[in-house]
Structures are given as structure tokens and as C-alpha cells.
Amino acid sequence: MTGIWGIVNVTPDSFSDGGRYLDVDRAVAHGLRLRDDGATVLDIGGESTRPGAERVGPDVEQQRVLPVIERLVAAGAPVSIDTFNASTAIAAVRAGARIVNDVSGGLADPDMLAAVAGSGADYAIGHWRGFSDDMYAHAEYRRTAREVAGELQERVGRAAASGIAPSRLIVDPGIGFAKAGSQNWDVLRGLDEIVNLGPRVLIGTSRKRFLAETLRRAQDTNGADADAEISEERRDLATAVTSALAVRMGVWAVRVHDVAATRDALAIAHAWEG
């Protein structure tokens, strides 16, 4: 069965739920709800990666995430840490995290690969071309999926050379990171390029801008108000659809805000696949 990573943003400024779970008790309660809804991993992040987000120091990041990780692990939940920073990755693994989810794929912090290699944790390598304040300046591709796969292959090689066993690696094509709307669809259509790299594949489309843009165009085509706000619920439905379609492409796990909706969509997709 395809895994479901439940997102727990312990930040004041994430694009979808910033501030909602900044309090430790609320973040832990939310994580446990996601686990009960069917999350196989809880992905805890203390720094927003939304477009234009300001960086925070590792000390602030760790103050936010470590108490949440410790309590979720104590409750028996499998946890990953969503971070660019090697020091946060090490602290989170010591607190019980099993996976380091680095959307930069080791590019943001030169100490990350060595830190993960020595930690024993699994490592999710994201496709990334720069921090959120200027990432769209790097969104130039001729064949998006093929170029993303090539860059991920290079980062997988660097991770392996640093001592991270291939069995510990996960790749994520970085939907929304340094990719304009149509380029995200190019990557999703070409997921076989990513799957064929060999490591497990993680996909994160949840509530992202390109889904809202697509739904807005559909509204305009159908004569509705193209500028009307696309609700969280509609983004979650679109996310569940992309997650179900990803099952057919051999994706190992999906990273989402609404675990229950995705759980149901994946159940139908797996039944269809037999």
C-alpha cells in the first residue's frame, strides 16, 4: 500500500496552515489525529518553505519541533523531520525521528549528507534549485521531468558517496519548488522518469498553488467567477486525486495535509489496481 505522510507545520507562516499548530499541545494533538486517520509517517517542520518565506535559524527551528517530535515518538508515532539544517536533523533523530526530509537534497547545508550518513536515518532528497525567496528565477527547463530526474540522480550519487546506503534513500521531485504551474504537471506526467531512478519516490502536491490555478481555470471555462477563492476543501480534493493517480505511477508515498481524504482516495485506487 502507498504510504501517507501527514504534514504537521509548527510554524507561524506556512502557506496553508501557518500558526494553526505553533502551540506544542495543538501540534501534538493534530499529529495524533493524522496518525489515527491513517498517516504512516508524521512529517514535522519548523520552517516554512512557501514562496517568499523568511529563513529562521536552526535554534528557533529546534525550539519549535523538538518538543513535538519527542511527544509524538513517545506516543508511538513514526516521525520525520522536514529541515534544511544538519544540526536540526541530528537533534531530531536523537529525539526519535526516523527520516530526514530535506527538500534541498543536501544543497542548502553542506554538512547535511555527512550528518544523515552518521545518523542511521532514512533520507528524503528533494529536487531544489534555491530558497523560496528566489526559486522561481530558476524555473527554466526544456524537458522538465527528465531534467528533474537527472538532477535527482546526481544528488542520489552524492548521498551514496557520503555513506548513505541506497536502501535508506527516498527521492522527491519537489512539486512547486522552482517550478511554474505547467512545469509541475510536466513532472507528474513524467513520474516514470523519477520512479526509474530506483529509490522510493515521495510526492507532495498538497494544497499547492498549481492545483488552485488549475481549478480557477476550470471555473472560468465553466462560466463561474475565475477569481473566486479556491477553498482548502477543494484543494484537498484535488490533492487526493493527484495522490490516487500517483499510485498508478509506482509512487511509494504521498505527503498531504488531509490524511483522511487521501486514505479514501488511495483505497479506491488500490482496489482499481487489484
Side-chain angles (χ1 to χ4, degrees), residues 114-136:
V116 174
S119 74
D122 285 2
Y123 185 46
I125 299 172
H127 178 266
W128 185 85
R129 288 183 170 181
F131 290 104
S132 59
D133 58 351
D134 72 341
M135 63 181 175
Y136 291 125

Side-chain angles (χ1 to χ4, degrees), residues 232-252:
E232 196 170 275
E233 290 76 15
R234 291 183 66 193
R235 290 187 187 215
D236 284 335
L237 176 58
T239 301
V241 172
T242 61
S243 298
L245 292 171
V247 168
R248 307 192 72 177
M249 303 292 286
V251 165
W252 169 72

Side-chain angles (χ1 to χ4, degrees), residues 114-115 128 193 206 221:
W128 185 85
E193 300 264 10
S206 192
T221 300

